[in-house]
């Protein structure tokens, strides 16, 4: 048994519906890849090789640093490595695109872009250019927790953990989008009172609309048996805005299933939201997201396409190893560390984000005030102007200064982090941040 209530006054999503089973159709599935790009490209390479004739496409073993092997292809003097290996080894990105019926492979060093601020930075507006961020689609995001509603990172732990930096980026990105984007399109399916739908109810199931004292409104009350065929469901034709938002109160062993169908490709995906503390698991076309076991009213807001993609990626996701770092203290200049350990690494992007936070705090306190935030910002800017040249590689940037503090090999910033450094510098300079 479960109780459901829709509250549209605080709805943040574009689709609001309380269901036991919903069928949703999407017509733009060509925009959504249902396998990670590394798998798609690897399969594409195999298919092309299978079509080659003559001397091309001979299989050959590639030995990587004498440690392990990957299957490659040889065409005379050329050896072709699968992009799935190159993607993971060099952390580069790529995808197959089609223009006028012609397939092309687009290669890029980073999924990040350089954004120029449209106006002077304002602490009361968007956070830098975060309205352009989509944290949830990143490969290092395992899923969006059905319990906490925030991203779960696999950056250093394949099982997933709550990474404060990633969660902050997720929140700031959605806040910035809320500031810049128009009001979402909202479609009320059933609110239990004024907007009503004709639900399909199996013989051993029931549905009723009752007033709930706690929610102070009418709710939909569902009851089913233990049989799989016992269902209460509704068919809805939706071709855009795949976001689901509802208030729900699950009893133990309850679940809600959303069925996504693509008529053109005859594909069906089942998204199950279950009373479980397990974050996510998947088996073929059935993807399960745990929403906790506590019996209480809660607001659930889910991006159905993201939930689908994370389930597909989970089945093909490669294993990751956790890096080990050592640190040493340097006290010549104040530096606000993203990772406050001993000794520090002088992580650049975390330090600049701290300066932005200090700037925001000082402006909110009053720009004419003399505060600790202003002093820390001024001291930090002095450190940044002094040490920033040490991060310049000539063609990119260093993620930190471990080669100075530890005397080890430099930690070159991935291209997405280098793009972050550039965006931060543009905000600091062209964004006219001054105190």
């Amino acid at each position: 048994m479960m109780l459901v209530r829709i509250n549209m006054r605080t709805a943040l999503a574009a689709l609001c519906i309380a269901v036991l089973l919903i069928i949703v159709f999407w017509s733009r599935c060509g925009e959504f890849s249902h396998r990670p790009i590394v798998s798609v490209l690897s399969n594409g390479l195999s298919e092309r090789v299978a079509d080659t004739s003559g001397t091309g496409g001979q299989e050959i073993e590639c030995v990587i640093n004498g440690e392990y092997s990957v299957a490659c292809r040889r065409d005379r003097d050329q050896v072709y490595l699968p992009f799935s290996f190159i993607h993971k080894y060099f952390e580069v990105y790529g995808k197959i695109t089609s223009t006028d019926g012609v397939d092309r492979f687009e290669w890029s060093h980073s999924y990040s872009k350089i954004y120029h601020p449209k106006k002077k930075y304002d602490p009361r507006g968007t956070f830098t250019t975060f309205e352009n961020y989509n944290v949830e689609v990143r490969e290092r995001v395992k899923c969006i927790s059905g319990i906490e509603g925030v991203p779960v990172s696999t950056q250093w732990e394949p099982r997933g953990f709550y990474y404060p930096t990633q969660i902050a980026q997720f929140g700031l990105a959605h806040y910035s989008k809320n500031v810049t984007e128009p009001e979402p399109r909202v479609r009320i399916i059933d609110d239990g009172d004024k907007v009503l739908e004709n639900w399909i109810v199996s013989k051993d199931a029931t549905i009723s609309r009752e007033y709930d004292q706690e929610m102070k409104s009418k709710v939909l009350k569902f009851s089913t048996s233990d049989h799989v065929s016992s269902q209460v469901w509704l068919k809805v034709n939706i071709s855009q805005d795949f976001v689901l938002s509802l208030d729900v109160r699950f009893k133990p062993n309850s679940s809600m299933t959303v069925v996504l169908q693509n008529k053109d490709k005859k594909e069906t995906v089942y998204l199950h939201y279950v009373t479980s503390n397990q974050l996510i698991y998947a088996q073929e076309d059935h993807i399960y997201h745990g929403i906790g076991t506590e019996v209480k009213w809660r607001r659930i807001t889910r991006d159905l396409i993201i939930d689908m993609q994370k389930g597909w990626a989970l089945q093909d996701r490669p294993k990751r190893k956790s890096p080990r770092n050592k640190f040493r203290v340097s006290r010549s200049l104040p530096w606000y560390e993203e990772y406050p350990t001993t000794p520090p690494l002088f992580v650049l992007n975390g330090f600049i984000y701290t300066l932005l936070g200090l700037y925001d705090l000082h402006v909110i306190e009053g720009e004419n005030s003399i505060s600790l935030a202003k002093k820390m910002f001024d001291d930090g800017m002095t450190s940044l102007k002094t040490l920033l040249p040490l991060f310049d590689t000539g063609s990119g940037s260093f993620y930190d200064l471990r080669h100075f503090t530890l005397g080890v090999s430099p930690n070159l910033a991935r291209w997405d982090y280098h793009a972050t450094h550039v965006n931060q510098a543009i905000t600091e300079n062209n964004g006219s941040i001054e105190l």
Side-chain angles (χ1 to χ4, degrees), residues 56-207:
Q58 180 183 2
E59 185 171 337
I60 187 173
E61 179 185 16
C62 291
V63 181
I64 310 302
N65 297 325
E67 298 175 353
Y68 59 94
S69 300
V70 296
C72 302
R73 292 288 174 172
R74 176 182 178 182
D75 184 0
R76 297 182 176 84
D77 295 333
Q78 296 291 329
V79 175
Y80 299 90
L81 282 77
F83 187 77
S84 57
F85 166 77
I86 297 175
H87 163 74
K88 291 182 290 184
Y89 196 87
F90 295 102
E91 295 199 49
V92 295
Y93 303 86
K95 62 181 179 181
I96 297 175
T97 63
S98 180
T99 304
D100 297 329
V102 178
D103 289 341
R104 293 183 177 86
F105 181 74
E106 295 183 356
W107 169 297
S108 61
H109 287 291
S110 171
Y111 54 75
S112 296
K113 298 180 180 179
I114 305 299
Y115 300 100
H116 295 272
K118 299 178 181 178
K119 58 183 179 180
K120 180 180 178 180
Y121 178 73
D122 181 1
R124 299 172 182 83
T126 63
F127 184 75
T128 65
T129 56
F130 268 47
E131 70 272 18
N132 302 298
Y133 281 35
N134 291 294
V135 176
E136 50 266 50
V137 304
R138 297 175 183 174
E139 288 186 7
R140 286 188 170 92
V141 174
K142 182 174 184 177
C143 65
I144 303 300
S145 169
I147 302 173
E148 304 295 342
V150 297
V152 178
S153 177
T154 60
Q155 186 160 345
W156 295 296
E157 173 53 63
R159 291 175 297 179
F161 67 103
Y162 294 115
Y163 182 26
T165 299
Q166 191 177 80
I167 293 173
Q169 292 177 345
F170 177 76
L172 288 168
H174 280 278
Y175 165 77
S176 298
K177 291 178 186 295
N178 185 59
V179 172
T180 59
E181 294 183 355
E183 289 292 321
R185 291 181 293 270
V186 177
R187 176 180 175 182
I188 303 175
I189 303 301
D190 196 319
D191 62 4
D193 187 12
K194 297 180 180 179
V195 181
L196 307 176
E197 277 287 351
N198 294 319
W199 296 80
I200 301 174
V201 184
S202 60
K203 292 182 179 180
D204 54 351
T206 62
I207 181 175

Side-chain angles (χ1 to χ4, degrees), residues 316-418:
D316 297 327
R317 182 171 56 83
K319 296 181 178 179
R320 301 177 185 270
K321 294 184 178 180
S322 177
R324 298 179 180 178
N325 296 321
K326 296 182 180 179
F327 307 94
R328 187 178 66 195
V329 172
S330 175
R331 300 180 180 178
S332 58
L333 290 168
W335 194 269
Y336 314 126
E337 284 290 339
E338 179 176 352
Y339 308 102
T341 53
T342 302
L345 287 183
F346 291 87
V347 176
L348 180 58
N349 81 92
F351 178 73
I352 299 179
Y353 280 137
T354 301
L355 293 182
L356 290 171
L358 291 170
Y359 176 82
D360 291 349
L361 178 58
H362 173 66
V363 172
I364 297 301
E365 288 178 336
E367 297 189 31
N368 295 324
S369 66
I370 300 177
S371 64
L372 178 60
K374 182 181 187 307
K375 182 179 184 307
M376 293 180 67
F377 176 85
D378 290 340
D379 292 344
M381 286 298 293
T382 300
S383 298
L384 181 63
K385 293 175 182 178
T386 303
L387 297 179
L388 189 59
L390 298 180
F391 291 89
D392 187 3
T393 69
S395 59
S397 57
F398 296 116
Y399 179 80
D400 53 38
L401 297 182
R402 67 179 62 192
H403 50 297
F404 286 104
T405 60
L406 298 180
V408 297
S409 299
N411 182 17
L412 290 173
R414 299 196 312 267
W415 282 103
D416 51 324
Y417 271 116
H418 176 63

Side-chain angles (χ1 to χ4, degrees), residues 146-147 254 273-279 281 289-293 298:
I147 302 173
S254 297
Y273 299 95
V274 300
T275 51
S276 170
N277 290 322
Q278 185 171 351
L279 288 169
Y281 54 101
H289 291 267
I291 59 173
T293 58
R298 72 185 77 182

Side-chain angles (χ1 to χ4, degrees), residues 8-58:
M8 292 310 303
R9 290 178 298 177
T10 57
L12 302 177
L15 172 64
C16 182
I17 177 172
V19 298
L20 180 65
L21 179 67
I22 308 175
I23 298 183
V24 179
F25 296 88
W26 83 87
S27 61
R28 298 180 300 162
C29 104
E31 300 177 13
F32 310 116
S33 171
H34 88 278
R35 287 289 184 267
I37 191 68
V38 295
S39 176
V40 174
L41 297 181
S42 179
N43 292 339
L45 175 63
S46 299
E47 293 172 1
R48 288 177 179 250
V49 168
D51 293 337
T52 58
S53 59
T55 59
Q58 180 183 2

